Amino acid sequence: AMSDEEITYENTGQVIDPVSDSMPKAFDEPTDNDKELTAFVIDHTDKWREYRDQNYLDSWLKYERVWRGVWEAEDKQRQSERSRVISPATQQAIETRHAEIMEAIFGNGEYFDIKDDVNDQTGGIDVQHMKECLTEDFAQDKVRKAIDSITLMGEIYGTGIAEITVGSEKQYKPMQVPIDQKQMAYGVGEKDRICVKLHPVNPKNFLFDPNGMSIDDCMGVAIEKYISIHKIAQGIASGKYRNVDIDTMYESDDIEPTKETKNFEDDKVKLLTYYGLVPKEYLSTEQFAEIEGTESVTDDYSDMVEAIIVIANGTLLLKAEESPYMMKDRPVISYQADTVPNRLLGRGTAEKASNMQSSVDGSMRSHMDSLALTTAPMVAIDATRWPRGAKFEVKPGKAVLTNGVPSEIVFPFKFGSTDGQSMETSKEFERMLLMATGTIDSNGTVSAVARDGQSMDMATATMIKKYKRVLINFQEDFLMPFIYKAAWRYMQFDPERYPSSDVKFIPTATLGIIAREYEQKQLAFLMQTLGAQSPLTPILMQGILENSSLSNKAK
């Protein structure tokens, strides 16, 4: 049944709008420039994907399986291996480092600070107000949760990557409005709010120019993923995307963020978002005629502009525009979990532990396979003297019928006893894994160093230095660029709340749990040596309180 307002248009190649009185708008047809631009982006990203997959993809899939404890046939250490046990050593190393880094970043409550530009003589703005606004907006947009996922992927894959998006969302809140002196109206008020969000990007969804050594050094970077078709439809309706004739498409699960037994394939669109340089003429509405004999390899690269290109299903151009951001910066940031010089991708904990993880798994599986042969009962039976059709079972109280003397017909045997050396060897490999990853636990410290306090302090201090290297990478390459980019976007799109000003951000990340406990102990020893009457004791006490996790330490 169809109401009077609903009108059906058949075979017109148009979007049906049953509410509007006017004729629906026809689909946008791509121009020659649009086709050239799409071919330019797809041609480059295809080459980048091939380079990435050939060099990194197999290793990334293996690291993910080890972290999740998922067994695959290709992970066998030998052909005859039957056990599928996976040691949690790498999982522990990843989670230990991840937890320590998160504590180092957010353990003190505040993870960034703002100061005025030294050369700014105008008096500027209230930097404290800007800091409070940023802190409030970051909490509302769940930046901490996003950073948690990004640093975890950094430890697994070696590189933490994120995309920064700007949007407007409606914010609802309960309100009461006076009608007159005696009556009050209760309801819900709404207002539009500019939000800057941080989206974690799996390296399997990230494409980059292999010639570049950083995000800004690349000609461009791209993020490809499957998204629900209803989001594309909403974007077309709001004018965010072009009005194209789009359909669902699912090629393979190579770009799914996690490996599942069976991925959901319905109502999905493959979306490629390119951030980078493109020839300026491709973004123009004018058509440029080519002159025969004047084409050159460098023609496409001579006049390029920073742009945002969105392509669906590999062919449909949804969006093509010059970078709308006032600083012309790319909304993608990354950091290396461990430094690999002159390369965009870093080295993660799973890569450091890979060799020792294979050794631990091999030793444990060898032990388990041996137990299968020495633990389960095995018997040899004279088939000529066994009753026809009888089923042989070994269980308490079982009566066994034989055609002759049972001791001559049924003979139990086993392949010796299992040697425990394999498990002892696996413990040594686990110690080496802790050594390779720079992690620590209750058992690792005791086995790695002597039990006296001085050796323990030396081991702890060495480990803290390794964590500081990761923290510096994160702060310099990720945290500070993100806060700058977020502040610029708020200044551009929400100028009332964020007046434009040249301010400087500084990281205030504290020491992690282990480093904090180590430093607290040193300060306590120093206070004990100086005594309660020393004028330095209150200063040291203040330092202990600042390093603590007390909720009321400011008071």
Side-chain angles (χ1 to χ4, degrees):
M2 191 177 295
S3 63
D4 295 337
E5 289 107 332
E6 289 178 317
I7 304 172
T8 303
Y9 298 92
E10 296 182 356
N11 301 323
T12 60
Q14 298 167 336
V15 177
I16 299 172
D17 186 0
V19 180
S20 175
D21 294 330
S22 60
M23 189 71 176
K25 182 182 177 182
F27 292 125
D28 295 336
E29 292 296 330
T31 64
D32 291 342
N33 281 347
D34 292 341
K35 295 176 182 178
E36 292 279 355
L37 179 61
T38 304
F40 178 86
V41 172
I42 294 298
D43 180 57
H44 283 81
T45 53
D46 283 348
K47 294 176 182 177
W48 299 349
R49 186 186 304 105
E50 182 180 0
Y51 165 83
R52 183 203 64 187
D53 291 351
Q54 288 178 348
N55 288 279
Y56 303 104
L57 185 60
D58 290 342
S59 297
W60 287 343
L61 294 175
K62 180 181 178 182
Y63 301 155
E64 182 185 336
R65 288 195 300 270
V66 170
W67 169 62
R68 295 178 63 191
V70 177
W71 181 88
E72 286 286 345
E74 58 193 272
D75 295 334
K76 281 187 175 184
Q77 303 297 319
R78 63 183 192 279
Q79 192 63 33
S80 60
E81 188 175 87
R82 298 173 68 242
S83 175
R84 300 185 178 186
V85 66
I86 298 175
S87 168
T90 296
Q91 299 175 34
Q92 173 185 290
I94 289 172
E95 290 163 7
T96 299
R97 288 184 64 89
H98 176 235
E100 186 67 20
I101 291 169
M102 288 298 294
E103 173 65 22
I105 299 167
F106 299 105
N108 201 31
E110 298 179 350
Y111 52 96
F112 70 94
D113 203 354
I114 305 178
K115 64 178 180 179
D116 274 319
D117 187 5
V118 176
N119 299 322
D120 187 8
Q121 304 298 330
T122 62
I125 60 170
D126 185 357
V127 293
Q128 185 61 30
H129 175 71
M130 175 179 278
K131 178 182 177 182
E132 291 173 356
C133 289
L134 280 175
T135 302
E136 179 183 330
D137 285 331
F138 286 168
Q140 197 161 350
D141 292 326
K142 300 181 180 179
V143 167
R144 177 170 180 168
K145 182 176 178 61
I147 290 178
D148 182 89
S149 299
I150 293 161
T151 53
L152 177 58
M153 286 193 290
E155 292 304 315
I156 297 171
Y157 303 106
T159 313
I161 309 166
E163 179 185 18
I164 304 170
T165 61
V166 184
S168 176
E169 61 180 21
K170 289 192 178 297
Q171 191 174 19
Y172 299 93
K173 59 180 180 180
M175 291 182 65
Q176 55 183 16
V177 179
I179 300 175
D180 51 36
Q181 295 182 351
K182 297 182 178 181
Q183 291 182 320
M184 186 80 69
Y186 295 89
V188 177
E190 67 175 54
K191 67 175 183 178
D192 289 332
R193 170 182 170 270
I194 298 297
C195 56
V196 177
K197 295 191 176 182
L198 193 66
H199 297 279
V201 177
N202 193 298
K204 293 184 292 184
N205 299 107
F206 182 66
L207 303 174
F208 61 95
D209 178 11
N211 293 323
M213 292 179 287
S214 66
I215 295 289
D216 295 330
D217 190 39
C218 293
M219 187 187 80
V221 297
I223 298 169
E224 57 178 355
K225 57 187 175 182
Y226 290 113
I227 70 170
S228 177
I229 193 171
H230 83 273
K231 294 183 179 179
I232 302 293
Q234 290 174 355
I236 293 175
S238 65
K240 176 182 175 181
Y241 296 139
R242 298 183 181 184
N243 182 22
V244 297
D245 185 13
I246 195 168
D247 199 0
T248 58
M249 187 190 79
Y250 193 91
E251 286 183 339
S252 66
D253 58 0
D254 290 341
I255 60 173
E256 292 286 1
T258 56
K259 186 75 173 177
E260 303 292 347
T261 304
K262 178 64 176 177
N263 287 297
F264 189 72
E265 301 179 2
D266 297 337
D267 299 330
K268 287 190 174 183
V269 173
K270 184 179 180 182
L271 198 72
L272 179 99
T273 307
Y274 174 87
Y275 301 104
L277 299 172
V278 297
K280 187 174 183 179
E281 64 181 44
Y282 292 161
L283 296 176
S284 174
T285 56
E286 300 178 5
Q287 298 296 326
F288 295 89
E290 294 184 358
I291 303 175
E292 294 184 4
T294 61
E295 294 87 354
S296 171
V297 175
T298 59
D299 283 350
D300 282 345
Y301 307 98
S302 58
D303 186 14
M304 306 185 81
V305 293
E306 190 71 25
I308 299 176
I309 313 296
V310 182
I311 300 173
N313 296 339
T315 56
L316 297 174
L317 187 63
L318 291 179
K319 183 178 182 179
E321 64 178 9
E322 286 194 42
S323 176
Y325 305 118
M326 63 181 185
M327 305 299 285
K328 300 300 180 184
D329 59 305
R330 290 179 184 168
V332 180
I333 47 179
S334 73
Y335 82 99
Q336 294 182 339
D338 194 16
T339 304
V340 179
N342 299 326
R343 198 180 80 178
L344 190 148
L345 300 178
R347 190 169 70 113
T349 300
E351 182 176 346
K352 298 176 188 177
S354 181
N355 285 332
M356 287 301 103
Q357 176 71 34
S358 297
S359 301
V360 173
D361 288 345
S363 298
M364 293 180 66
R365 291 171 185 174
S366 175
H367 182 77
M368 298 294 287
D369 288 346
S370 177
L371 282 177
L373 294 175
T374 60
T375 303
M378 290 176 284
V379 296
I381 300 174
D382 185 353
T384 63
R385 302 168 68 184
W386 187 255
R388 181 176 297 178
K391 181 181 179 182
F392 180 78
E393 291 180 332
V394 177
K395 61 182 181 181
K398 172 70 174 177
V400 179
L401 304 176
T402 60
N403 296 326
V405 182
S407 60
E408 298 177 356
I409 300 170
V410 180
F411 177 73
F413 70 95
K414 64 177 183 177
F415 296 103
S417 60
T418 298
D419 187 3
Q421 189 63 35
S422 294
M423 290 303 292
E424 293 298 323
T425 304
S426 69
K427 292 179 182 178
E428 182 65 16
F429 286 143
E430 287 181 6
R431 187 189 67 81
M432 294 182 186
L433 188 144
L434 291 174
M435 186 189 308
T437 56
T439 53
I440 195 169
D441 66 346
S442 58
N443 296 323
T445 307
V446 176
S447 61
V449 298
R451 293 177 180 270
D452 60 283
Q454 184 176 359
S455 298
M456 288 285 290
D457 287 347
M458 290 176 61
T460 306
T462 302
M463 189 189 62
I464 291 170
K465 294 174 186 176
K466 294 181 179 180
Y467 281 119
K468 283 185 176 180
R469 292 173 60 237
V470 181
L471 197 58
I472 289 173
N473 274 0
F474 178 81
Q475 290 178 343
E476 295 291 332
D477 296 339
F478 191 94
L479 185 59
M480 290 302 101
F482 164 67
I483 296 175
Y484 273 114
K485 290 174 187 286
W488 293 337
R489 281 148 181 75
Y490 281 125
M491 290 175 187
Q492 180 177 357
F493 298 106
D494 195 3
E496 293 182 3
R497 183 174 168 88
Y498 292 90
S500 295
S501 179
D502 185 13
V503 295
K504 303 297 181 185
F505 298 96
I506 54 176
T508 57
T510 59
L511 300 171
I513 292 178
I514 299 174
R516 185 180 299 164
E517 291 176 352
Y518 175 70
E519 187 162 301
Q520 299 285 61
K521 186 173 68 172
Q522 301 299 320
L523 291 175
F525 284 156
L526 189 55
M527 287 175 56
Q528 187 177 2
T529 303
L530 292 172
Q533 305 303 321
S534 172
L536 293 177
T537 299
I539 300 175
L540 295 175
M541 179 64 73
Q542 184 178 358
I544 289 179
L545 288 175
E546 288 178 353
N547 262 347
S548 72
S549 299
L550 294 173
S551 59
N552 60 341
K553 62 182 178 182
K555 185 182 297 185

